[in-house]
Amino acid sequence: MKKIIVIPGDGIGKEITGSAVAVLKKIDEKFKIGLEFDYRDAGGASYDKYGEPLTAETLDACKAADAILFGAVGGPKWDNIEVSKRPEKALFGLRKGLGLYGNLRPVKIYDALIDGSPLKPEIVRGADILIVRELVGGIYFGERCESETVDGVERAWDTEIYSVPEIERIVKLAFESARKRRKKVTSVDKANVLASSRLWRRVVNETAKDYPDVTLNSMYVDNCAAQLAINPTQFDVIVTSNMFGDILSDEFAAIGGSLGLLPSASLGEGTTGFYEQIAGSAPDIAGKGVANPIGEILSAAMLLRYSLNEEKAAQTIEAAIDKTLADGYRTGDIYKDGLKKCSTAEITQAIVDRI
């Protein structure tokens, strides 16, 4: 059996994880993988029950599982509680507890949705990009000072630090991912200015020698941001630091046309992968049955691919989504006149029917 921990969390989390589980159960019927689902609380839901956003019991269960399917956390209900108890602390606790150092975020432009992208169809058609972001190092985790006075002048500072092992492990993850795709890696840095980026580039070039079947090129982050808008189809896998990855992945989100379409995977030192769509808890639409579950369902496909090594099953989900969209099924965020406007449950069933 393969144990999957399901953490619905807050907001629309219950709805979208419900959709993903329904699809996984259909896949299990077809491929006989042996999936077992164990439901746990985290975020605001856990705080309401236990006074903690992430309990030790839930973390231990996650460590023992094959993968985690995560919904979303947060909402205005918990805005005024103690910072250490905020729902978002569950994410940090899971990342740290599971050693999740790499975030994989794909963006694919579907032909059926190409008019939803802000880019011209002739520019964006065929774009299929995976960004591999270092998740637990760099300037977000370096030493910092919010205010100090030197020679009568107030200043603040943050420190960007990367070690060779930190860079090696995220770069290896990118190259391994590229081997499952089109075998091209673009490393993004600012080596013309930053010392940490020069180390990054040196380690990338050295690591690339172990992957002669994968093509590597390096690009400055400002040029990469421009190229994503000018010629996104040139990219396959992009690997970059925490801050650059944070910025570029949000640009990726705009290319796709809707946050509800975007999945992600966080992988690390252990065997437990963490999978979630990136749209957040969307408390304004929670419980209304209108959330777009496609990003979460695609996250389930990534779960099959990266944690369970079930590539054919992952491709089956992705093909079912392609067919559902081509047949005109849409949730409200991607709906246009003349198509079939669906609830969360209806578009989920349409995908299940095409598996």
Side-chain angles (χ1 to χ4, degrees), residues 1 13 18 38 70 73 82 88 92-93 109 117 126 148 173 189 203 254 268 284 286 302 308 320 331:
M1 298 294 290
D38 180 7
F70 190 85
V73 292
E82 181 187 341
E88 294 79 9
F92 295 118
I109 303 300
S117 173
E148 68 176 8
L173 180 58
D189 58 41
V203 174
D284 56 319
M302 294 184 78
L308 305 186
T331 46

Side-chain angles (χ1 to χ4, degrees), residues 112-246:
L113 299 179
I114 200 165
D115 57 350
S117 173
L119 300 182
K120 295 179 180 178
E122 60 267 28
I123 291 176
V124 78
R125 182 176 282 110
D128 183 358
I129 306 166
L130 175 68
I131 185 166
V132 179
R133 169 191 171 189
E134 201 287 321
L135 199 58
V136 294
I139 200 166
Y140 289 176
F141 289 86
E143 292 186 10
R144 66 192 63 192
C145 175
E146 293 189 11
S147 178
E148 68 176 8
T149 300
V150 177
D151 296 330
V153 177
E154 185 180 17
R155 69 182 187 181
W157 48 267
D158 300 271
T159 307
E160 168 95 344
I161 297 177
Y162 271 113
S163 67
V164 170
E166 286 177 318
I167 300 170
E168 284 179 337
R169 66 185 184 182
I170 192 67
V171 171
K172 287 178 180 178
L173 180 58
F175 275 96
E176 294 293 341
S177 298
R179 278 180 164 171
K180 297 179 179 181
R181 293 170 53 91
R182 301 190 302 278
K183 298 185 178 181
K184 180 180 179 181
V185 170
T186 301
S187 176
V188 175
D189 58 41
K190 193 63 177 171
N192 56 334
V193 176
L194 300 177
S196 57
S197 280
R198 287 192 283 275
L199 176 65
W200 180 282
R201 186 171 291 206
R202 176 159 59 84
V203 174
V204 169
N205 290 337
E206 190 65 28
T207 305
K209 296 176 183 178
D210 295 330
Y211 299 88
D213 55 322
V214 179
T215 301
L216 168 70
N217 72 305
S218 292
M219 187 177 290
Y220 296 145
V221 63
D222 41 356
N223 183 33
C224 181
Q227 291 298 319
L228 281 168
I230 296 169
N231 182 21
T233 58
Q234 70 181 283
F235 297 105
D236 179 20
V237 174
I238 294 174
V239 61
T240 191
S241 66
N242 203 341
M243 182 171 67
F244 294 161
D246 189 6

Side-chain angles (χ1 to χ4, degrees), residues 15 19 22 289-291 293 331 342-352:
E15 298 162 76
S19 294
V290 298
T331 46
C342 300
S343 67
T344 306
E346 288 168 341
I347 200 164
T348 301
Q349 188 60 51
I351 294 168
V352 167

Side-chain angles (χ1 to χ4, degrees), residues 27 30-31 311-321 354-355:
I27 284 290
K30 185 178 180 71
F31 290 94
E311 179 64 27
K312 188 173 181 181
Q315 291 178 359
T316 299
I317 291 178
E318 291 161 350
I321 291 172
R354 285 158 179 77
I355 290 175

